[in-house]
Amino acid sequence: MKIFTRVSIAVLLGAVSAWCQPGRVLVLDDFEPPAAGMRWSPALAPAEGPATHGARSARLTFERGVAEVSATGFPADWRNFDRLLFDIHATHEGIRTLTLRLHDRDGADRSDYFEARSKIILLKGWNHIEVRLANLQAASWDRAVDLGAIRRITLAAERVPLPWTLHVDNFRLAAGAESASSASRTEPQNTVTVIRNRFFEVRQVARPEEVPESDEVRRLRAAALAELERFNAALRAARLQGIDTIYAERFLVAADLGLYVRPRLPWFNNDEQKKALFTAVAEGLAQGRRELDDEIDGIVRRPHSDDTQAPPPLVPPYPAALKGSPAKGWFYRDPDGRPMAVISLHSSRRALERFFASPNPHIESYTVGGGSRWNIEQSPVWEAFHKHDDAKR
């Protein structure tokens, strides 16, 4: 037992020690030395001001005729690293994107590079970009990127207003955990974009609920939640009186989006956007509640009907048979003579199903030979396509 205990403790301590050791980091450019920025074309000018590492970053301006910038002259062998990291500071409002390209060949093959087209998401403030290097594929998807021969890094501005000025900082390669000496400074609200081949994900440095918010935002959220409680009370009262509430329920869907879904997204999880969201939610719920109150109180009178019979639903069911439906004027007609408009609901989410005359909505998956567009590279079809020339007909 003692031998087992000693061995177990030794193994555990060794694992903890290995985990705690800092990983490998190679700084490509942090714009601190006087000659920094010269490996870029056009050359970048180091500038005092916003920086995530050291005291300086580089000012980068895209304009007509100069919509991309490239860097060369750094170590070409990236095989000992698992990610490329860098930071971009922006001052624009809303969302804009950049394209990243990594070139690993010269000459005739230089167009076959890794491309993350419009996958760098930039919001106001600092944005941290992480490119996962494992299994990186060239843009053609015909081959893997040669991490032992990376020649050039390119940033390109596409479909954005020009001129556009940004600050970039702390380009580096890393493997394993980073130490404070090389890691970028971050704030909870900063945006993080992680690129994995053709896929990318966007989040903030902190979890959504940990991003600081102002007292005004907290007040507006509390006001929207109070309005939601009053709306639900009116909804219950209306249902007890046999009032069809389906049109009023649209405000509940909007409230769920505005209170619980959109604030989790980086481009909405800031004070200005949340002020607008929570204000709109409260105003919408108040409008819906007043509409229900007016029906409950008889201010808006419902049409005369035989209250011994259940009324038809406000959203009619999907027609049993579209074929043979009569046409009149510009429309096909339902059995009651009302115009029909058929809308395809393409989703597996059922939250909005009640608002549409839909037969079982579903999400479609197009497959061929056992592979879908999400995993075709791992399927036998992909292998056969590249192995046999006659498969490319």
Side-chain angles (χ1 to χ4, degrees), residues 187-200:
E187 297 290 339
Q189 68 274 15
N190 291 166
T191 305
V192 178
T193 298
V194 180
I195 298 172
R196 310 171 195 262
N197 272 319
R198 67 174 61 175
F199 301 106
F200 68 102

Side-chain angles (χ1 to χ4, degrees), residues 66-391:
V66 190
E68 67 178 48
V69 61
S70 296
T72 56
F74 45 76
D77 192 348
W78 292 14
R79 288 174 294 181
N80 289 327
F81 302 95
D82 56 32
R83 60 199 188 278
L84 167 68
L85 303 160
F86 57 96
D87 312 307
I88 301 178
H89 186 272
T91 58
H92 61 263
E93 300 293 338
I95 303 173
R96 294 188 187 178
T97 64
L98 275 183
T99 292
L100 169 72
R101 302 186 187 109
L102 299 178
H103 305 253
D104 66 340
R105 294 182 179 180
D106 289 329
D109 292 327
R110 66 182 181 180
S111 62
D112 191 19
Y113 41 70
F114 167 75
E115 182 176 56
R117 188 171 188 180
S118 299
K119 287 183 170 63
I120 296 178
I121 306 300
L122 299 181
L123 303 178
K124 188 176 183 178
W126 276 110
N127 303 266
H128 307 283
I129 292 83
E130 176 179 333
V131 183
R132 299 290 175 87
L133 301 177
N135 303 315
L136 210 59
Q137 295 290 311
S140 65
W141 282 83
D142 283 338
R143 65 178 183 88
V145 170
D146 184 358
L147 292 178
I150 300 297
R151 309 296 185 191
R152 186 162 73 253
I153 301 172
T154 299
L155 293 174
E158 301 175 349
R159 300 190 296 274
V160 294
L162 299 177
W164 183 25
T165 297
L166 304 165
H167 282 77
V168 294
D169 201 7
N170 204 17
F171 283 80
R172 63 206 187 277
L173 298 168
E178 260 197 294
S179 66
S181 62
S182 65
S184 296
R185 295 184 290 271
T186 63
E187 297 290 339
Q189 68 274 15
N190 291 166
T191 305
V192 178
T193 298
V194 180
I195 298 172
R196 310 171 195 262
N197 272 319
R198 67 174 61 175
F199 301 106
F200 68 102
E201 60 203 56
V202 185
R203 57 178 173 80
Q204 289 171 293
V205 169
R207 297 184 70 85
E209 68 273 12
E210 295 169 356
V211 173
E213 58 186 26
S214 66
D215 291 339
E216 176 70 2
V217 168
R218 286 191 286 270
R219 184 189 67 79
L220 289 172
R221 179 190 279 109
L225 289 170
E227 198 60 65
L228 177 60
E229 186 174 347
R230 289 190 286 271
F231 178 89
N232 279 322
L235 200 66
R236 290 191 296 271
R239 287 170 176 166
L240 283 172
Q241 296 195 41
I243 297 173
D244 194 323
T245 62
I246 191 167
Y247 281 112
E249 289 174 47
R250 70 191 189 275
F251 295 107
L252 282 180
V253 176
D256 278 342
L257 291 172
L259 284 169
Y260 304 116
V261 178
R262 286 193 171 184
R264 302 189 62 84
L265 305 175
W267 40 92
F268 285 112
N269 195 14
N270 58 71
D271 281 352
E272 291 306 311
Q273 291 293 332
K274 284 192 284 192
K275 285 179 186 177
L277 282 175
F278 300 156
T279 298
V281 167
E283 290 175 351
L285 289 169
Q287 175 188 337
R289 175 177 52 81
R290 287 191 289 267
E291 291 174 3
L292 287 173
D293 286 345
D294 286 350
E295 284 201 72
I296 293 170
D297 298 337
I299 296 173
V300 173
R301 299 190 62 82
R302 283 178 282 167
H304 293 290
S305 61
D306 182 355
D307 59 9
T308 65
Q309 303 295 320
L314 292 180
V315 176
Y318 196 80
L322 288 174
K323 184 177 181 180
S325 296
K328 183 179 180 182
W330 292 97
F331 301 100
Y332 288 103
R333 304 283 171 161
D334 68 9
D336 295 324
R338 294 173 298 187
M340 289 193 298
V342 179
I343 300 172
S344 174
L345 180 64
H346 182 79
S347 176
S348 60
R349 284 76 176 170
R350 306 182 75 91
L352 300 180
E353 183 178 352
R354 294 187 63 242
F355 302 96
F356 296 90
S358 172
N360 302 315
H362 63 282
I363 189 164
E364 298 178 51
S365 176
Y366 299 95
T367 61
V368 55
S372 75
R373 59 178 173 157
W374 305 112
N375 64 358
I376 187 64
E377 293 85 11
Q378 288 78 45
S379 76
V381 172
W382 188 258
E383 181 182 353
F385 178 80
H386 291 286
K387 185 176 180 180
H388 303 289
D389 289 337
D390 60 346

